[in-house]
Amino acid sequence: MKSQIELDGITVHVVRKPVKNLNLTVRPPHGEVRISAPKRASLAEIQAFVLSKREWIRKHRERIRAEMEKRGPTKGEPRYVDGERHTVWGREVLLQVEEAMGPPDVSLTEQRLRLRVRPGTDRAGRREIVERWYRDQLRKALEPMLADWERELGVRAGQIRVRRMKTRWGSCTPSSRSIRLNTELAARAPELLEYILVHELVHLLEASHNGRFYALMDRYLPDWRERKEALERRS
């Protein structure tokens, strides 16, 4: 039986198996954290075990990330070179790379995403600069959107984290009111960001994906299914 938990910003995939001990692995290529747990192990035991291994997880993720960078991008991953096509808020633009002394910078025009980097900046450095810009764009778009939907739903989110997520668009921990959103949403149309935000905020009213949850989605965002389909189609 498989499940998923969120701990201290770490997504952990839990697989129940006929084993005697808890076994933790960090898997390439994206540093996925997986734990094999005995069927009798309680959630509290699993959580405590994962938290005790936070430093170990961090080190292994860094090692995997360094190894993947040495291999270079896999098919379909951006290389962050001049003339490459990128997407911002659902609109395709060309990347224009300029090497110059001074602080790195990213700016957007009608047809181009301009990236200024110091001479010799490698792919990993360029990616971090661009992703930081995407995170900033997402946070700016979120501020008024979050205020409107908190008021509409009558809820108050706690911490909102924006970070790169390989397998999910967003997640919510109702007990702490913590919401995490994928940086990649800044590449999608704004209405798709709104769908994910509403989805996670509704979890503050109903933690499970049950009939009440979907009834609330239908009430507050009637076209959420169409938005979900559009997001999956563009993934």
Side-chain angles (χ1 to χ4, degrees), residues 139-151:
R139 290 190 181 102
K140 289 176 184 177
L142 271 173
E143 189 172 345
M145 192 181 293
L146 177 64
D148 288 345
W149 278 106
E150 283 182 326
R151 183 167 54 251

Side-chain angles (χ1 to χ4, degrees), residues 7-8 66 76 107 111 114 119 133 152 159 171 179 191 219:
L7 280 175
D8 197 26
S107 59
Q111 297 181 332
R114 291 176 173 164
W133 181 83
E152 179 70 18
Q159 188 176 36
S171 64
I179 290 174
E191 60 266 23
R219 174 183 174 185

Side-chain angles (χ1 to χ4, degrees), residues 215-233:
L216 288 167
M217 289 295 296
D218 288 339
R219 174 183 174 185
Y220 289 105
L221 198 69
D223 66 341
W224 69 269
R225 290 179 177 83
E226 288 78 8
R227 300 194 196 199
K228 180 176 184 290
E229 182 180 344
L231 186 58
E232 291 173 347
R233 190 167 56 245

Side-chain angles (χ1 to χ4, degrees), residues 73-229:
T74 59
K75 185 178 180 181
E77 288 187 327
R79 294 180 297 140
Y80 301 95
V81 295
D82 203 60
E84 192 172 62
R85 295 184 181 275
H86 287 250
T87 308
V88 180
W89 296 125
R91 180 166 58 89
E92 191 174 84
V93 292
L94 291 178
L95 183 66
Q96 179 180 327
V97 181
E98 174 190 353
E99 291 192 346
M101 297 306 294
D105 183 59
V106 180
S107 59
L108 179 66
T109 66
E110 186 64 28
Q111 297 181 332
R112 296 186 183 277
L113 183 65
R114 291 176 173 164
L115 169 63
R116 186 177 66 205
V117 296
R118 293 186 176 93
T121 302
D122 61 10
R123 175 181 173 269
R126 294 182 181 194
R127 182 182 68 183
E128 177 56 33
I129 294 165
V130 172
E131 288 190 350
R132 189 184 309 129
W133 181 83
Y134 271 99
R135 287 196 295 270
D136 289 342
Q137 299 306 301
L138 195 59
R139 290 190 181 102
K140 289 176 184 177
L142 271 173
E143 189 172 345
M145 192 181 293
L146 177 64
D148 288 345
W149 278 106
E150 283 182 326
R151 183 167 54 251
E152 179 70 18
L153 294 168
V155 298
R156 178 71 61 163
Q159 188 176 36
I160 303 289
R161 293 181 179 177
V162 177
R163 61 186 179 89
R164 186 156 54 111
M165 303 167 71
K166 287 294 184 180
T167 60
R168 306 180 74 178
W169 290 109
S171 64
C172 175
T173 304
S175 59
S176 63
R177 297 181 292 113
S178 176
I179 290 174
R180 290 154 297 281
L181 298 172
N182 193 333
T183 306
E184 181 67 16
L185 285 165
R188 303 302 191 261
E191 60 266 23
L192 304 184
L193 165 62
E194 184 177 43
Y195 154 64
I196 293 297
L197 176 63
V198 174
H199 180 112
E200 304 309 337
L201 287 173
V202 168
H203 274 308
L204 299 179
L205 297 172
E206 175 54 59
S208 302
H209 287 117
N210 55 21
R212 180 171 181 260
F213 174 86
Y214 293 118
L216 288 167
M217 289 295 296
D218 288 339
R219 174 183 174 185
Y220 289 105
L221 198 69
D223 66 341
W224 69 269
R225 290 179 177 83
E226 288 78 8
R227 300 194 196 199
K228 180 176 184 290
E229 182 180 344

